[in-house]
Every structure is written in C-alpha cells, then in structure tokens.
Amino acid sequence: MRGPHRRGRFGEFGGRFVPEALVPACEELEAAFAVAWADPTFRARLDDLLEHYGGRPTPVTECGRLGERLGIRLLLKREDLAHTGSHKLNNVIGQALLAERMGKRRLIAETGAGQHGVAAATAAALLGLECLVYMGAVDVERQGLNVFRMELLGAQVRAVDSGSRTLKDAINEALRDWVATVETTHYCIGSVMGPHPYPYMVREFQRVIGDEARAQCYEMLGFDPDVVVACVGGGSNAAGTFAGFVDTHARLVGVEAAGGAAMSNGVAGVVHGMRSRFLQDEAGQILEAQSISAGLDYPGIGPEHAHLGTVGRAEYPSAGDSEVLAAFRLLAETEGIIPALEPAHGLAWIIREAGKSIPEGSAVLLTLSGRGDKDVALVRKLMQ
Ligand SMILES: *Cc1c(COP(=O)(O)O)cnc(C)c1O
C-alpha cells in the first residue's frame, strides 16, 4: 500500500478540509512525520517501546478446533495480547513520540467508547505528557469505568454537551481545542480518519500488525493466506493489517457493524476534515452508528478504505449483532479465547462465508484486534 497522492488523496477520498488556522498545524505534522518515519533513531525508539513496553511482536495462533469445524485453516493475529489489550497502543505510542519530538507536551484526543482515550492516556503517562480527552456526555455516562481508567492514568476527561453528545461531537470539540492551542498541543486521532496526514500516518503506525502477520503466516503456512479479515470502525486495525498483504493475492475483507456500515449504506461527503463515506440523513446530517460493540460506532470510514472499496481491492460486508454474539461465544468455547466484540464481527463473517465464498481448505487470517474483558458484562446481560 503506497502513500496517498498529492494533498493526502486516496483516489477521490481523503484530503485536508480544515479551518485555515489548522492548515499550518497539519503541514507541520506531515513534515515532522515524514522526517521521523525516515529517521532510524525514531524508528528504533518506537520499536523498542513496542517490544519492551507493548509486548510486540504479538503471536499468530492457529485455531485447530474451530478451523476444523469450519473446514478452513483459521489463523488469528493476536493484538488482544498487546499491552492495554488491543492494537490501539501501536498508534498512540507513535503519535506521543512524534508530539514529544515536535516539542508539544500536551496531547488531546477524542474518544467514543473510551478505548482510544485510555490508550492515549497510557502513552501520555509513559512519556510524561499532559493529556485531555474529549468525550460525548452520553458516552461519559455509558462508559464510567473507562472514564475512571483515564483519570487513574493521570488524564483529564472533558464531557461534550453539544449535538448528539457522542463521538462525532467529541471530534468536533477536539478540533476546536486544537485550533486554539496548536503551538503547544498535538491532536492524537484514534483511527485512520481526519485530515491528511492522519489517515496515512495512523496506517503507517498500525502496519506493524500486517508486516508481522505476513512473516508469521508465511512461516506457519509456507504461503500467504487466501483471505485476510479485520473489523472496521474507523478502520485502523484493518488498514494496518491490509498494508502487509495488499501486494499479495489475498482477498482483503473489512467487516463493519451492520448498524454502522458506512461502506454499504453511507454517502460520500466531507466531515471531520476528510472526504469519505458517512452515514447521513437526507439533509446530510451525520447519523449515529448503532452496534453492540462501542468500538465500531464511528458513523464513517477512513478514506483509504473508501478508496480500496471503490476500486474493488477490498470488500466491506457487515455483520449483525446476533451473529456477532454467536461468534463471540464460539471462539470462547472452541479455542479458549474471549475476543472483543469488534473482531467478533470479522469472525461472524468468516463463519457465515466458510464453505460458501471462502472455499473449503482456504487459509484465513483474522486480526483479533482486542480482548473481550471489556465486553463480558454486556454479553452476559444480552444472554439473559
Ligand atoms: C477501537 C477498536 C476497534 C475499531 O477501530 P479501528 O480504527 O477500526 O481499528 C476495533 N477493535 C478494537 C478491539 C478496538 O478497541
């Protein structure tokens, strides 16, 4: 997967649609990232933290029992085993190091379910940076435990009372903060979204997933997997995974939540600094995504995915809540792994398609983006 073209375009998507006051900040970030990413000292520091603090490389494990039941070889890239229990750490450590390098000692972040907020607070604590997390007031109510986690990690959480008081409003508020504080502040965006260079930069920070998995699969199988699957909220774990396989013959599949399917049901538009696909009503207002998994609640999709879907290099089907719950339970029962509900969407699609569009005997890689501890209380409630 190459970089975006001029001004951060992936085909007709991407770009940099920001208030004039933010153009220099985006340009500064773009330049700083380009220099850092080419600097062996920066890369060595990042790799060292990912290894000794984050627990990388995460393993790839083969699911013998579940694979046999489905008639395929099923491999999992185990991001659930990384520190903080998901892939999000890869991105926030990268951005926090970059902020430090730019001399910006204050991080701001947006969060919906709270997972990116917790990750950002973790990286800020590690590097001794100040951290303020914007979170919709509704989400603050719903995700009390994650609010407390962020506070434990030394971050401040600011409830956003505008609009629908959820993720999209938190992003707007964070952008407003950034306009006023660019000199001292880095805005740490949590997925492959926002104005250029974020979709490209976050993908590069997450490509460690795909690069590791490519080598690990090859070692285990002797060939590349036939199908590579990841769940898609904004699309960062999928973008990082796909980056390792885009130049193979693997079928690339990003699975969205049925209630947040920006690819199937979205409309092209410009929101949050980028042109991409979004769930919108007839007046162009952004709709709220609905899903049992709070991490897939972004009502849009990253611009590179919008492009890969448009040109046909990747597919973006969706999975519904009940099949996701069934997949969650099946992985726990057959493999002793309780997944986060987000990657259970990817597994639900694999279960649905095994023996159909996934031929028997295929080798299928799923990025298990996170562990399910955060979801067990909800699943228990839904099963009662
Ligand atoms: C946040 C999250 C996601 C969704 O974010 P992407 O940017 O689409 O990767 C998926 N899985 C887990 C475990 C998450 O925490």
Side-chain angles (χ1 to χ4, degrees):
M1 218 163 343
R2 297 201 205 99
H5 288 98
R6 250 172 357 110
R7 292 195 294 274
R9 293 297 183 122
F10 297 96
E12 62 179 290
F13 300 103
R16 178 183 287 156
F17 297 88
V18 292
E20 220 166 7
L22 282 184
V23 172
C26 289
E27 286 174 347
E28 180 194 9
L29 181 61
E30 180 184 1
F33 175 68
V35 174
W37 207 229
D39 176 357
T41 317
F42 180 85
R43 298 289 286 258
R45 176 121 191 269
L46 176 60
D47 289 349
D48 181 66
L49 285 176
L50 290 179
E51 181 183 344
H52 296 110
Y53 179 76
R56 304 207 71 85
T58 58
V60 167
T61 47
E62 177 153 13
C63 297
R65 296 201 330 121
L66 183 53
E68 191 176 351
R69 190 187 286 210
L70 298 175
I72 59 174
R73 293 191 70 175
L74 178 61
L75 306 175
L76 302 179
K77 176 60 172 162
R78 301 290 305 277
E79 294 302 294
D80 60 317
L81 296 178
H83 178 48
T84 69
S86 86
H87 67 294
K88 286 196 167 68
L89 193 77
N90 303 327
N91 172 43
V92 292
I93 297 253
Q95 289 200 47
L97 280 181
L98 197 56
E100 186 184 60
R101 192 180 159 107
M102 289 187 293
K104 299 188 175 184
R105 305 217 48 94
R106 178 173 178 264
L107 285 190
I108 56 171
E110 82 294 336
T111 199
Q115 291 148 234
H116 173 58
V118 170
T122 300
L126 177 69
L127 297 182
L129 305 174
E130 188 190 329
C131 183
L132 173 62
V133 180
Y134 286 94
M135 190 170 187
V138 171
D139 291 326
V140 169
E141 283 290 306
R142 285 195 289 220
Q143 307 288 345
L145 211 49
N146 273 341
V147 172
F148 183 58
R149 279 193 186 101
M150 288 180 251
E151 288 168 354
L152 277 178
L153 292 160
Q156 198 191 331
V157 178
R158 186 155 305 160
V160 175
D161 259 316
S162 55
S164 59
R165 306 152 80 222
T166 58
L167 176 60
K168 71 178 171 59
D169 313 292
I171 296 173
N172 289 332
E173 237 6 80
L175 282 166
R176 256 176 231 131
D177 179 318
W178 203 32
V179 170
T181 60
V182 282
E183 296 295 321
T184 57
T185 299
H186 172 66
Y187 179 15
C188 181
I189 292 186
S191 192
V192 283
M193 47 150 295
H196 183 59
Y198 285 100
Y200 162 63
M201 178 177 74
V202 176
R203 181 252 278 173
E204 290 300 290
F205 283 139
Q206 291 292 2
R207 73 177 303 136
V208 63
I209 304 172
D211 287 343
E212 283 176 9
R214 169 100 173 250
Q216 290 165 316
C217 285
Y218 200 86
E219 189 164 311
M220 294 171 79
L221 300 168
F223 49 87
D224 294 318
D226 303 300
V227 188
V228 172
V229 184
C231 63
V232 174
S236 68
N237 86 87
T241 303
F242 292 176
F245 295 94
V246 76
D247 61 340
T248 71
H249 293 295
R251 180 179 172 195
L252 304 179
V253 183
V255 183
E256 295 192 285
M263 220 47 193
S264 318
N265 305 327
V267 178
V270 175
V271 179
H272 296 145
M274 61 178 168
R275 181 176 163 79
S276 195
R277 300 183 73 88
F278 301 90
L279 298 177
Q280 305 176 32
D281 67 13
E282 277 167 21
Q285 290 298 307
I286 298 305
L287 297 170
E288 209 183 322
Q290 302 290 344
S291 163
I292 47 168
S293 85
L296 299 185
D297 57 3
Y298 186 60
I301 187 168
E304 185 167 23
H305 291 298
H307 173 63
L308 289 173
T310 300
V311 299
R313 178 60 189 98
E315 312 156 49
Y316 297 89
S318 59
D321 290 353
S322 61
E323 60 182 332
V324 169
L325 274 176
F328 177 96
R329 298 186 63 185
L330 189 60
L331 188 67
E333 286 167 9
T334 57
E335 298 292 338
I337 297 170
I338 299 178
L341 282 168
E342 292 88 354
H345 285 71
L347 184 61
W349 178 83
I350 293 169
I351 292 168
R352 196 203 304 155
E353 292 301 319
K356 299 194 183 110
S357 77
I358 304 173
E360 218 181 297
S362 300
V364 180
L365 172 73
L366 168 67
T367 292
L368 199 76
S369 53
R371 65 177 181 229
D373 306 44
K374 67 183 178 56
D375 296 320
V376 289
L378 174 64
V379 170
R380 182 183 188 200
K381 217 165 80 188
L382 292 170
M383 279 170 60
Q384 273 164 359

